[in-house]
């Protein structure tokens, strides 16, 4: 029979544009969030994290925004480059637990 | 610094055979996680060790799967007997959790390159 795969949402941008990748998390008790980048054939790579007592955190070319009211997390990438092409996952940690729950991922395609 | 090391990187085996996947976590980390990634289900946590002790194995699919961590620098994930539906990429990740379950630090996990398993 025909198998149904996991259809990732895809964001296509031009090199130099700013990218915004969104994530809705499920548990209001989650108190820690991470963004990972996974390139083809590689393991997920840590990008940036944020605790629930913060609304915004900046790294090099990346910014994570957290809106606890609507349980929404976003990753902003400034001046997107072809090397940013990858699948991006958000992950949340529920308060009291030591494990992470990963989202389904968003594919970012950057064209030159 | 060496990251998480996994071996083999690729494994092709026939249905019914035993498969052993290996992981060396980052030195000094006290927590180790095994994940499975497929197109159908995404990234699934199989089992989590803290200080070499299995803490949560609720994600292990069935009795055919077993995992051990005999010391702080080595873990194995074994599938016996393997089935075609076990075909996936298996990742090992490690972290240094300072306050288990608490609002501390260290929950970020560092992943290995994965083992791509194909069972025919």
């Amino acid at each position: 029979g025909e198998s149904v795969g996991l259809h990732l949402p895809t964001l296509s941008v031009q090199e130099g544009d700013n990218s915004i990748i969104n994530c809705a998390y499920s548990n209001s008790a989650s108190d820690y969030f991470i963004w990972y980048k996974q390139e083809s054939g590689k393991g997920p790579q840590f990008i940036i994290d944020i605790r629930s007592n913060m609304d915004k955190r900046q790294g090099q070319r990346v910014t994570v925004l957290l809106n606890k009211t609507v349980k929404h997390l976003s990753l902003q990438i400034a001046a997107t480059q072809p090397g940013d092409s990858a699948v991006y996952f958000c992950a949340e940690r529920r308060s009291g637990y030591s494990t992470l729950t990963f989202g389904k991922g968003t594919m970012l395609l950057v064209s030159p | 610094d060496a990251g998480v090391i996994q071996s083999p990187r690729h494994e092709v085996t026939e249905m019914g055979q035993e498969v052993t996947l290996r992981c060396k976590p980052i030195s000094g980390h006290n927590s180790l996680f095994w994940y499975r990634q497929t197109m159908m289900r995404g990234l699934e946590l199989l089992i989590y060790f803290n200080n070499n002790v299995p803490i949560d194995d609720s994600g292990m699919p069935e009795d055919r799967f077993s995992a051990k961590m005999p010391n702080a620098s080595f873990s194995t994930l074994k599938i016996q007997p393997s089935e075609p539906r076990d075909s996936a990429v298996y990742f090992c990740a490690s972290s240094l959790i300072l306050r288990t379950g608490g609002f501390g630090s260290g929950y970020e996990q560092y992943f290995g390159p994965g083992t791509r398993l194909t069972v025919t």
Side-chain angles (χ1 to χ4, degrees):
Chain A
E2 184 177 4
S3 62
V4 178
L6 184 67
H7 296 288
L8 293 176
T10 300
L11 175 65
S12 297
V13 301
Q14 295 283 325
E15 181 178 2
D17 288 351
N18 295 332
S19 302
I20 300 176
I21 301 170
N22 296 304
C23 177
Y25 63 93
S26 57
N27 199 311
S28 58
S30 293
D31 63 3
Y32 177 75
F33 305 86
I34 301 181
W35 280 100
Y36 282 91
K37 171 187 180 183
Q38 186 175 22
E39 297 175 272
S40 180
K42 297 183 178 180
Q45 177 186 6
F46 172 85
I47 302 174
I48 192 168
D49 59 1
I50 189 168
R51 296 184 186 181
S52 59
N53 60 353
M54 303 170 70
D55 298 323
K56 178 180 179 179
R57 190 164 188 221
Q58 289 185 291
Q60 186 177 13
R61 281 202 308 121
V62 295
T63 300
V64 54
L65 298 177
L66 175 62
N67 185 329
K68 295 180 287 296
T69 302
V70 295
K71 293 189 287 188
H72 183 267
L73 193 67
S74 68
L75 177 70
Q76 300 178 357
I77 305 174
T80 313
Q81 303 167 0
D84 295 327
S85 294
V87 176
Y88 289 80
F89 294 94
C90 65
E92 61 186 292
R93 184 198 84 104
R94 285 176 55 188
S95 179
Y97 289 79
S98 297
T99 56
L100 300 174
T101 301
F102 284 80
K104 299 301 184 185
T106 297
M107 181 173 291
L108 175 65
L109 297 175
V110 183
S111 51
Chain B
D1 288 342
V4 175
I5 299 171
Q6 290 186 249
S7 64
R9 292 295 311 278
H10 301 274
E11 177 80 38
V12 179
T13 191
E14 292 184 347
M15 182 174 64
Q17 296 298 306
E18 177 180 297
V19 174
T20 299
L21 311 181
R22 296 173 175 80
C23 175
K24 176 178 170 56
I26 293 172
S27 177
H29 281 188
N30 62 3
S31 299
L32 184 140
F33 308 81
W34 282 100
Y35 290 87
R36 178 172 66 178
Q37 187 176 43
T38 61
M39 286 301 295
M40 290 284 289
R41 293 196 175 93
L43 198 60
E44 302 174 276
L45 176 66
L46 300 177
I47 188 169
Y48 150 51
F49 292 87
N50 181 256
N51 292 322
N52 312 337
V53 176
I55 303 299
D56 181 359
D57 65 354
S58 59
M60 295 286 262
E62 49 198 273
D63 292 345
R64 296 185 298 106
F65 285 68
S66 62
K68 294 182 179 179
M69 192 165 186
N71 57 61
S73 59
F74 184 66
S75 176
T76 59
L77 178 67
K78 185 176 292 187
I79 308 172
Q80 165 65 19
S82 58
E83 296 182 3
R85 60 192 167 121
D86 301 329
S87 297
V89 181
Y90 291 81
F91 289 104
C92 175
S94 71
S95 66
L96 176 59
I97 296 177
L98 300 178
R99 293 177 55 211
T100 304
F103 193 68
S105 61
Y107 297 107
E108 67 273 22
Q109 296 173 17
Y110 295 89
F111 283 75
T115 296
R116 181 174 293 277
L117 174 65
T118 303
V119 184
T120 60

